[in-house]
Amino acid sequence: MSYTDPQSTDPRTEPPGTVHRVETKSTAALLSEALNHVSGLVRKEVDLARAEMSRAVSRAAIGIALLVGAVILSLTALNVLAAAFVAWLAETGIGAGWSALIVGGVILVIAAILVKVGINRVKAVTNAPKRSAESIRRDAAAVKGAIND
């Protein structure tokens, strides 16, 4: 590093008639520089979006894992409660076999109802894009008709 005398860069101490060069850039250079800045900005925005998506996926994965754990524990609890209900029915005087058959039948009916409702809901969702596609076709036909008129 070299030492620069502070007085040598001070314009007040320069001799009169000293000409300072002001660098001017061409329009192409300015445009190129602006495009480089925009490109860098877009790149940084994409990196930020990628980081946000990564964080969101990580959170979703943890949420799904917790839900799977909850389902497993719920199934275990349902088995224990069903066994307790069978034992209670058996104590009331109904035979153990009949108690298990009654509890199993009730659970099977509930499961069948849930399956039926679930299938109907899934069918309703899969029909939605067909309606949207048909609506888009009608709109496109209307636009074509308006253009041709």
Side-chain angles (χ1 to χ4, degrees):
M1 281 178 80
S2 63
Y3 173 75
T4 308
D5 183 11
Q7 290 182 346
S8 66
T9 58
D10 188 1
R12 292 173 290 172
T13 60
E14 292 180 2
T18 303
V19 177
H20 292 282
R21 281 183 96 198
V22 177
E23 290 189 32
T24 59
K25 294 183 180 180
S26 69
T27 304
L30 289 173
L31 186 58
S32 172
E33 187 176 315
L35 288 174
N36 285 337
H37 286 300
V38 168
S39 172
L41 179 62
V42 168
R43 210 173 307 117
K44 288 177 183 177
E45 289 293 333
V46 167
D47 290 343
L48 178 62
R50 193 175 292 144
E52 288 176 353
M53 286 301 295
S54 174
R55 221 175 341 198
V57 167
S58 174
R59 281 182 154 173
I62 291 170
I64 290 171
L66 291 172
L67 287 173
V68 167
V71 166
I72 291 170
L73 290 175
S74 296
L75 289 173
T76 304
L78 183 60
N79 285 331
V80 170
L81 290 172
F85 192 56
V86 167
W88 176 76
L89 284 177
E91 286 181 9
T92 62
I94 301 174
W98 284 109
S99 297
L101 187 62
I102 292 170
V103 171
V106 168
I107 291 173
L108 190 61
V109 167
I110 292 170
I113 292 170
L114 292 175
V115 166
K116 178 123 175 96
V117 170
I119 288 173
N120 289 339
R121 295 268 174 129
V122 169
K123 283 182 180 178
V125 169
T126 57
N127 287 336
K130 292 177 185 175
R131 288 187 301 230
S132 297
E134 183 59 34
S135 176
I136 290 170
R137 279 190 214 106
R138 283 192 309 254
D139 292 345
V143 168
K144 283 181 187 176
I147 290 173
N148 292 334
D149 290 342

